[in-house]
Amino acid sequence: MKRLIFVLCAMLFTSMTAVSQGLSKQAPQGFDVMKTDIPHGKIDTIVYHSSTVETSRKALVYTPPGYSKKKKYPVLYLLHGIGGDEYAWQKNGHMQNILDNLYAEKKVEPMIVVMPNGRAMKDDRPVGNIFDKDKVEAFATFEKDLLSDLIPYIEKNYPAMKDRKHRALAGLSMGGGQSLNFGLGHLDKFAWVGGFSSAPNTKEPEVLVPNPEKAKKQLKLLWISCGDQDNLITFSKRTHDYLVAHHVPHIYHVVPGGHHDFEVWKDNLYMFSQLLFKPVPSAVFFRK
């Protein structure tokens, strides 16, 4: 009987699309439009000292409607792509509208969202040739900046919960690769990880998850997603295939007709955020 239960559970985690009670397969129309008749969160710009880069760096911080310094909050670190900066999710992803609307519908847990510049170098602007070697390498350097500089700043200056169970890391494209690389590489720091249309900077799955048993025990949620019209889907699929082969629970969400753009990434944020910092519903099921 125990073996039968194990097999059935393993089967639940081997598919492509996740659907749960109260969680849509796709974001509804108007989900990213600002509504004037609901409470709104606030976005502030912070400046923190980066010992990694040896300069001051900026990030945006979204605090939810009803935010209070007397309350403790989990934190989502939300990363941009190779052509973006700390403003990308605000300007192009309308993240504040997405989350404000979800809060109004009581579909998300109150959380702080930090949007840093993932290009850890002194001149971190997305100007000139964004594919220059030094600019690409700066995305890898951000791992140290995130862990050694940004997270300590947030946890010192905001009422943030300081344990791995209350930290999430997710991003789009280059930021998706960063999220998988850094999140899965530091399971002692993050329990919630999401890669949206992850780029070629994504490490091979054997490197991402060298110890599947450890990942099973420590991950609360691993979200892998990409549009089916995106040429980069091979990087998401190879990770998914490896996770399936090693029975690591995860959600693999393929967006029908989806390209490498914010329509896909906004859809991902809408669904991913609803699962964060609470038990993943038992009603979640997977299908091929």
Side-chain angles (χ1 to χ4, degrees):
M1 176 60 73
K2 289 184 178 180
R3 178 172 178 78
L4 176 59
I5 293 173
F6 173 81
V7 171
L8 290 173
C9 289
M11 289 174 64
L12 288 174
F13 290 109
T14 60
S15 71
M16 296 176 59
T17 304
V19 182
S20 70
Q21 187 175 5
L23 185 68
S24 304
K25 296 180 185 179
Q26 190 171 3
Q29 188 173 4
F31 76 103
D32 59 341
V33 175
M34 179 177 159
K35 297 177 181 177
T36 58
D37 58 345
I38 63 172
H40 296 124
K42 183 181 179 183
I43 293 182
D44 291 313
T45 299
I46 62 165
V47 179
Y48 67 99
H49 176 72
S50 171
S51 59
T52 302
V53 185
E54 298 183 342
T55 190
S56 294
R57 308 196 69 225
K58 292 181 179 180
L60 300 188
V61 178
Y62 167 93
T63 48
Y67 171 75
S68 170
K69 292 183 179 179
K70 297 180 180 179
K71 181 180 176 181
K72 292 288 187 178
Y73 295 87
V75 183
L76 164 62
Y77 293 86
L78 189 60
L79 310 183
H80 61 81
I82 194 169
D85 57 20
E86 65 270 26
Y87 299 102
W89 273 105
Q90 178 192 26
K91 291 182 178 179
N92 302 314
H94 306 141
M95 61 77 58
Q96 68 276 29
N97 297 341
I98 294 171
L99 291 181
D100 285 350
N101 294 340
L102 285 171
Y103 281 119
E105 297 176 6
K106 303 186 184 306
K107 290 184 176 180
V108 285
E109 291 294 306
M111 70 184 84
I112 294 169
V113 182
V114 180
M115 293 163 281
N117 188 316
R119 191 182 294 99
M121 58 192 303
K122 290 188 176 178
D123 183 359
D124 58 11
R125 297 173 301 159
V127 295
N129 183 1
I130 59 175
F131 295 98
D132 278 346
K133 182 181 178 182
D134 60 337
K135 293 180 180 178
V136 172
E137 289 176 349
F139 280 93
T141 304
F142 180 66
E143 179 175 9
K144 183 179 178 182
D145 180 80
L146 172 67
L147 298 173
S148 301
D149 302 311
L150 180 58
I151 290 177
Y153 176 92
I154 293 297
E155 294 182 350
K156 180 180 179 180
N157 292 278
Y158 285 85
M161 296 179 181
K162 300 180 180 180
D163 62 290
R164 57 177 297 277
K165 293 181 181 179
H166 295 96
R167 285 196 208 103
L169 181 62
L172 65 91
S173 193
M174 182 70 86
Q178 286 177 305
S179 296
L180 297 181
N181 294 345
F182 308 162
L184 296 175
H186 296 279
L187 292 176
D188 60 323
K189 302 293 185 184
F190 303 98
W192 313 79
V193 179
F196 311 160
S197 311
S198 300
N201 64 318
T202 308
K203 295 177 181 178
E204 294 184 353
E206 295 82 1
V207 179
L208 287 176
V209 188
N211 188 336
E213 291 303 317
K214 181 179 179 182
K216 291 179 195 179
K217 293 177 182 178
Q218 293 190 284
L219 281 167
K220 293 291 186 181
L221 173 65
L222 175 53
W223 174 283
I224 309 289
S225 180
C226 198
D228 64 5
Q229 300 302 304
D230 190 335
N231 291 333
L232 298 184
I233 195 171
T234 54
F235 297 99
S236 294
K237 189 174 186 304
R238 76 179 185 184
T239 303
H240 163 65
D241 290 342
Y242 176 87
L243 296 171
V244 168
H246 291 82
H247 309 293
V248 178
H250 66 289
I251 291 176
Y252 182 50
H253 175 61
V254 176
V255 180
H259 295 271
H260 199 75
D261 58 29
F262 266 101
E263 294 307 309
V264 168
W265 305 327
K266 288 189 290 184
D267 177 87
N268 270 251
L269 178 61
Y270 174 83
M271 291 189 288
F272 178 73
S273 62
Q274 292 182 64
L275 295 173
L276 291 178
F277 309 123
K278 55 188 174 183
V280 177
S282 58
V284 170
F285 66 91
F286 299 76
R287 67 184 182 185
K288 293 185 178 180

